[in-house]
Amino acid sequence: MEWFESWFDTPYYHLLYNNRDYTEAENFITKLTADLQLAPNSKIIDLACGKGRHSVFLNKLGYDVLGLDLSRQSIEFDKQFENQTLLFDVHDMRNPIDADPVDAVFNLFTSFGYFDNENDDKKVFQSVYNALKSGGFFVLDYLNEEYVRKNIVPESLAKRGDIEFKICKKIEGRHIVKDIKFESDGKPYHFFEKVKLHTLEAINSYATDCGFERIKIWGDYQLNEFNRETSLRCINLFKKK
């Protein structure tokens, strides 16, 4: 079992990241869909949807949404939100998507770069390409590799209720590794996250090899222009040719 298969399926993963700003996320989604000029009832896949917060909000905006995630526990949780235009399913993003062609695929908040094998990264792009209609959009919201390398915080603590997470970050070759240690109910736990530091050029290479064209890059969730030195995010917009 790979690290993301075990860690993402624990309640501790969701506890650690429960402080994410929902208002910021909803404002981002609102700006994004407006910029893409997606018509009402457009079909969108939320790839690596987690607990479904973006899927649910997209559906509230009037879109027909399919949320996909590898975590069975997350999808079981998401099922409570389903309706005629909002569905969830367990899915490995490396595999072909069994759905009618869609208008857009969103992969948000660094839900890519988990795989050691470069062919697996390419499989994700190919899967997305095949799932899109001609002219469809692929939004890949990723970390800014150059900013991360220059601004890494080696150690930090995150308090969530009675649990204190000790987080150590380091760069190992092409990856940033986050080591996570904590105690719960008197038991010690140790998990890690490992994300590939993909360059702009590498990401674009995967995309063009599959038949995408990169339209623009945003540097944050307010959709400001991307800057290699200062941007916190690297939000890629691709279009299927």
Side-chain angles (χ1 to χ4, degrees):
M1 183 177 288
E2 299 190 70
W3 68 265
F4 48 86
E5 295 179 86
S6 56
W7 173 225
F8 289 173
D9 237 356
T10 72
Y12 301 110
Y13 168 79
H14 299 287
L15 177 62
L16 175 59
Y17 294 111
N18 71 0
N19 65 330
R20 285 175 169 164
D21 191 331
Y22 276 57
T23 301
E24 180 188 53
E26 292 181 357
N27 288 339
F28 166 54
I29 294 295
T30 302
K31 288 176 181 290
L32 178 63
T33 52
D35 191 281
L36 300 183
Q37 298 182 353
L38 289 172
N41 302 318
S42 292
K43 295 182 182 297
I44 299 174
I45 290 175
D46 183 8
L47 189 61
C49 65
K51 286 292 186 76
R53 59 180 178 146
H54 306 114
S55 300
V56 171
F57 186 68
L58 282 165
N59 187 240
K60 288 179 179 177
L61 291 177
Y63 299 110
D64 189 330
V65 182
L66 172 62
L68 300 175
D69 199 275
L70 185 64
S71 168
R72 292 187 178 277
Q73 289 191 20
S74 290
I75 294 300
E76 287 173 8
F77 174 86
D78 295 339
K79 287 287 187 180
Q80 67 183 298
F81 304 115
E82 286 191 332
N83 58 51
Q84 287 187 331
T85 56
L86 176 60
L87 298 173
F88 293 95
D89 202 2
V90 176
H91 177 77
D92 186 322
M93 67 173 70
R94 292 169 287 188
N95 296 334
I97 298 170
D98 184 17
D100 292 333
V102 298
D103 300 285
V105 175
F106 294 168
N107 181 258
L108 307 176
F109 291 82
T110 316
S111 300
F112 178 70
Y114 303 150
F115 315 117
D116 288 326
N117 190 328
E118 188 176 48
N119 287 329
D120 286 334
D121 295 324
K122 294 177 181 178
K123 286 178 182 178
V124 176
F125 275 85
Q126 191 63 60
S127 172
V128 171
Y129 183 86
N130 292 339
L132 284 168
K133 297 177 182 177
S134 180
F137 295 111
F138 176 32
V139 177
L140 177 63
D141 167 24
Y142 205 59
L143 51 81
N144 177 7
E145 172 258 352
E146 196 158 322
Y147 182 88
V148 168
R149 287 187 182 275
K150 293 179 179 178
N151 296 275
I152 187 171
V153 178
E155 293 186 7
S156 62
L157 293 174
K159 185 83 171 178
R160 302 287 184 267
D162 296 330
I163 299 178
E164 188 173 77
F165 295 89
K166 182 180 179 182
I167 301 169
C168 297
K169 294 181 183 178
K170 60 183 176 181
I171 293 175
E172 292 183 347
R174 296 177 60 196
H175 297 84
I176 181 168
V177 180
K178 183 187 292 186
D179 205 54
I180 304 162
K181 294 181 179 179
F182 58 94
E183 286 190 4
S184 178
D185 297 325
K187 297 179 181 179
Y189 290 87
H190 182 201
F191 293 95
F192 73 92
E193 299 175 10
K194 184 179 179 182
V195 178
K196 200 173 292 179
L197 290 169
H198 283 301
T199 64
L200 273 175
E201 292 74 21
I203 290 173
N204 197 46
S205 175
Y206 297 150
T208 54
D209 285 351
C210 288
F212 283 109
E213 177 185 4
R214 183 152 62 191
I215 304 299
K216 63 177 74 172
I217 310 171
W218 296 291
D220 57 33
Y221 295 129
Q222 289 73 49
L223 301 190
N224 290 312
E225 189 175 341
F226 176 78
N227 182 290
R228 279 184 186 261
E229 300 289 330
T230 61
S231 292
L232 297 176
R233 306 297 300 168
C234 177
I235 305 171
N236 300 263
L237 174 62
F238 299 105
K239 188 174 185 178
K240 181 174 179 175
K241 294 179 182 179

